[in-house]
Amino acid sequence: MAGALFLMYAALSLRLHQQMRTSSYDLGIFEQVVRSYAEGHLPVSEVKGQDYPVLGDHFSPILALVAPFYWVFRGAETLLVVQAALLAVSVVPLTLWARRALGSPAGAVIGACYGLSWGIASGVGYDFHEVAFAVPLLAFSLTALGNGRLTAAACWALPLLLVKEDLGLTVLVIGLVIAGRGNRRLGFATAAVGLAGSALTLFVVLPAFNPNGSFAYWSLVETSSGASMGSVSMASSTGGVDGVLDVLYRGTIGLVTPQTKVTTLLLVLAPTLFLALRSPFMWVALPTLVWRFTSNNGFHWGTLFHYSLVLMPVVFAAFVDALVRRGTSGRSLHRYLAGSAAITLMILPSFPLYQLAQSGTWRDDPRVAVARQLLAKIPDGATVQTSDHLVPQLTNRTSVSLYGWYDSRLDPQWIMVDTSVSDNNRWWPGQPLSSAEERQHLDENRREGYELVALQDGYELLHRPEAKPRQHG
């Protein structure tokens, strides 16, 4: 099952990349991170900004583990294949646990429903992300926890601290569940390490690397008074009745409004027929759900992108745990399994894995061939600014940044822009300019000395032979 899912995940993500449907945010950024590690230095991303230190953006040193694979094949495809393998491996512990505790049919159904779940599919269908490493770690940790192997559960959970800064809070909750299962010393120690790890990365490590000297994403939880919920001194300095009320609102009613949040929560629980709520394992999902639903970024609330990846192993582990704790068997077990399979299949066509069955996924767009011909004119090692979906086609061999992004490297040697992208398909930060602004910038580039190398099928390739880089002022 893991092998079949790996082939599906890899086929979809690689095909999307071949069709140039991957993006600078986030595949381009993460390849630049992995390339940095592979070249033996701390990670920087030109997409984020000129020589931007990524350890000041998110704390994900676990990405260094991808570097040896990048030595073998230098390209974005390596990251996509690694992600497919990580996600596919996570099905193994959950399936074996379900088979051992509930029987072979239950193991097969639960494993398949997990592997085809919408949260996994959304992650596979949108670039590469560091949280792919968290998925097998959570699956192995919670499986060990469900089987009473508490030390193993803690050992699998602790590396989450190296995946992303918020996952220390997930480790904290796993520690509390371990304490509740009987090993209080181990559980509280694990919880303390998780809390300390998140605090250290949020308040010390990330500000130390960040050019602005603070965690870059406190603004996502900014209150109506304009103060960050991450600021310890915020309440006293603002005096803030409005700020306190906003915090209370977003921590209560705001967790389930607007309706998008309720829809996401229902979809998270629906494949388990809401039985997952009967397991204490669901507490492990709480930190992720809270930061997402208190964020002021609407993308965090819904079912798109990769944001639900880490929830899937948690909710399916809770499903297995609830079935085992209830002693479910016979017809009752069969009803739960049939219901889970039916909901999974009903949801499947709305999410990216279904694209594997669509003919358009396997048709080649003639514009892609044109783009590849023009990209081939850009020499290795050049400095480039280009459109969002062209960035990950160049990150393995050039210093590439996003065209029109205010913090991109000035005066690149090459510029290549896809002018055919409509304004309806431009969203920040992947497309920082409107079509009119983009045209204005391109005309200005021509006046500054860039020569038109090619203009074909909406692609415009410019070159400045003797570009003298300006310094950011």
Side-chain angles (χ1 to χ4, degrees), residues 17 48 105 124 128 194 217 238 268 313 356 372 420 433:
H17 185 61
K48 291 290 295 183
V124 170
F128 169 93
Y217 298 98
T238 62
V268 166
L356 289 170
R372 294 198 184 284
S420 69
L433 301 176

Side-chain angles (χ1 to χ4, degrees), residues 271-424:
T272 73
L273 284 75
F274 298 90
L275 192 63
L277 289 172
R278 298 191 180 187
S279 168
F281 286 10
M282 274 306 298
W283 288 106
V284 178
L286 189 62
T288 297
L289 289 171
V290 168
W291 80 252
R292 286 180 59 185
F293 291 170
T294 57
S295 168
N296 55 32
N297 182 346
F299 287 125
H300 293 158
W301 307 339
T303 57
L304 298 177
F305 311 120
H306 60 290
Y307 298 116
S308 296
L309 265 178
V310 299
L311 297 177
M312 293 299 104
V314 176
V315 74
F316 276 90
F319 186 33
V320 177
D321 182 60
L323 289 172
V324 173
R325 288 159 65 91
R326 294 177 77 240
T328 311
S329 61
R331 291 183 178 179
S332 178
L333 177 60
H334 293 160
R335 284 195 296 269
Y336 278 117
L337 296 176
S340 179
I343 291 174
T344 299
L345 293 175
M346 182 174 64
I347 295 174
L348 184 62
S350 300
F351 291 91
L353 283 178
Y354 192 69
Q355 294 179 45
L356 289 170
Q358 296 176 317
S359 59
T361 304
W362 308 104
R363 283 198 297 266
D364 292 325
D365 184 348
R367 292 190 75 246
V368 171
V370 172
R372 294 198 184 284
Q373 292 173 3
L374 298 183
L375 289 171
K377 296 178 181 292
I378 300 174
D380 295 352
T383 57
V384 187
Q385 280 191 26
T386 190
S387 299
D388 176 54
H389 62 285
L390 299 178
V391 168
Q393 308 295 326
L394 289 169
T395 42
N396 65 326
R397 63 182 187 86
T398 68
S399 177
V400 60
S401 55
L402 191 60
Y403 185 74
W405 178 235
Y406 70 92
D407 209 22
S408 291
R409 185 179 294 274
L410 296 174
D411 295 315
Q413 296 166 320
W414 294 82
I415 292 173
M416 182 170 169
V417 177
D418 183 358
T419 62
S420 69
V421 181
S422 67
D423 282 334
N424 290 334

Side-chain angles (χ1 to χ4, degrees), residues 435-468:
S435 55
E437 291 170 336
E438 187 176 81
R439 183 69 265 160
Q440 182 179 354
H441 274 67
L442 287 169
D443 291 341
E444 185 177 340
N445 293 144
R446 297 279 294 275
R447 290 193 295 270
E448 290 175 345
Y450 282 89
E451 300 174 357
L452 180 64
V453 176
L455 179 61
Q456 187 174 355
D457 283 357
Y459 293 108
E460 193 161 332
L461 179 63
L462 304 177
H463 176 46
R464 187 175 184 178
E466 297 180 358
K468 298 179 179 180

Side-chain angles (χ1 to χ4, degrees), residues 87-417:
L87 299 181
V89 164
S90 69
V91 78
V92 175
L94 294 172
T95 302
L96 293 179
W97 176 23
R99 187 181 73 175
R100 184 167 53 250
L102 301 168
S104 294
V109 172
I110 291 173
C113 289
Y114 167 73
L116 299 174
S117 63
W118 67 267
I120 298 290
S122 294
V124 170
Y126 179 59
D127 291 4
F128 169 93
H129 296 90
E130 75 281 72
V131 291
F133 279 94
V135 176
L137 290 173
L138 284 166
F140 279 103
S141 178
L142 295 177
T143 296
L145 190 53
N147 286 284
R149 296 183 293 112
L150 304 185
T151 301
C155 290
W156 282 111
L158 289 174
L160 291 169
L161 294 168
L162 303 177
V163 177
K164 202 172 181 181
E165 59 279 355
D166 65 290
L167 289 173
L169 301 179
T170 302
V171 175
L172 182 154
V173 178
I174 290 175
L176 295 179
V177 176
I178 290 173
R181 287 288 171 109
N183 194 331
R184 297 168 63 86
R185 183 176 180 179
L186 174 64
F188 289 141
T190 302
V193 171
L195 180 60
S198 274
L200 183 65
T201 54
L202 287 171
F203 296 103
V204 179
V205 178
L206 289 167
F209 282 98
N210 190 283
N212 295 322
S214 66
F215 178 47
Y217 298 98
W218 286 133
S219 60
L220 293 177
V221 287
E222 191 173 82
T223 67
S224 59
S225 64
S228 167
M229 291 169 65
S231 172
V232 177
S233 61
M234 173 269 293
S236 59
S237 63
T238 62
V241 174
D242 290 343
V244 171
L245 289 177
D246 193 47
V247 171
L248 290 174
Y249 173 81
R250 291 169 67 181
T252 53
I253 299 173
L255 290 174
V256 291
T257 56
Q259 182 182 340
T260 303
K261 299 176 184 179
V262 177
T263 302
T264 297
L265 194 57
L266 290 175
L267 282 174
V268 166
L269 296 169
T272 73
L273 284 75
F274 298 90
L275 192 63
L277 289 172
R278 298 191 180 187
S279 168
F281 286 10
M282 274 306 298
W283 288 106
V284 178
L286 189 62
T288 297
L289 289 171
V290 168
W291 80 252
R292 286 180 59 185
F293 291 170
T294 57
S295 168
N296 55 32
N297 182 346
F299 287 125
H300 293 158
W301 307 339
T303 57
L304 298 177
F305 311 120
H306 60 290
Y307 298 116
S308 296
L309 265 178
V310 299
L311 297 177
M312 293 299 104
V314 176
V315 74
F316 276 90
F319 186 33
V320 177
D321 182 60
L323 289 172
V324 173
R325 288 159 65 91
R326 294 177 77 240
T328 311
S329 61
R331 291 183 178 179
S332 178
L333 177 60
H334 293 160
R335 284 195 296 269
Y336 278 117
L337 296 176
S340 179
I343 291 174
T344 299
L345 293 175
M346 182 174 64
I347 295 174
L348 184 62
S350 300
F351 291 91
L353 283 178
Y354 192 69
Q355 294 179 45
L356 289 170
Q358 296 176 317
S359 59
T361 304
W362 308 104
R363 283 198 297 266
D364 292 325
D365 184 348
R367 292 190 75 246
V368 171
V370 172
R372 294 198 184 284
Q373 292 173 3
L374 298 183
L375 289 171
K377 296 178 181 292
I378 300 174
D380 295 352
T383 57
V384 187
Q385 280 191 26
T386 190
S387 299
D388 176 54
H389 62 285
L390 299 178
V391 168
Q393 308 295 326
L394 289 169
T395 42
N396 65 326
R397 63 182 187 86
T398 68
S399 177
V400 60
S401 55
L402 191 60
Y403 185 74
W405 178 235
Y406 70 92
D407 209 22
S408 291
R409 185 179 294 274
L410 296 174
D411 295 315
Q413 296 166 320
W414 294 82
I415 292 173
M416 182 170 169
V417 177

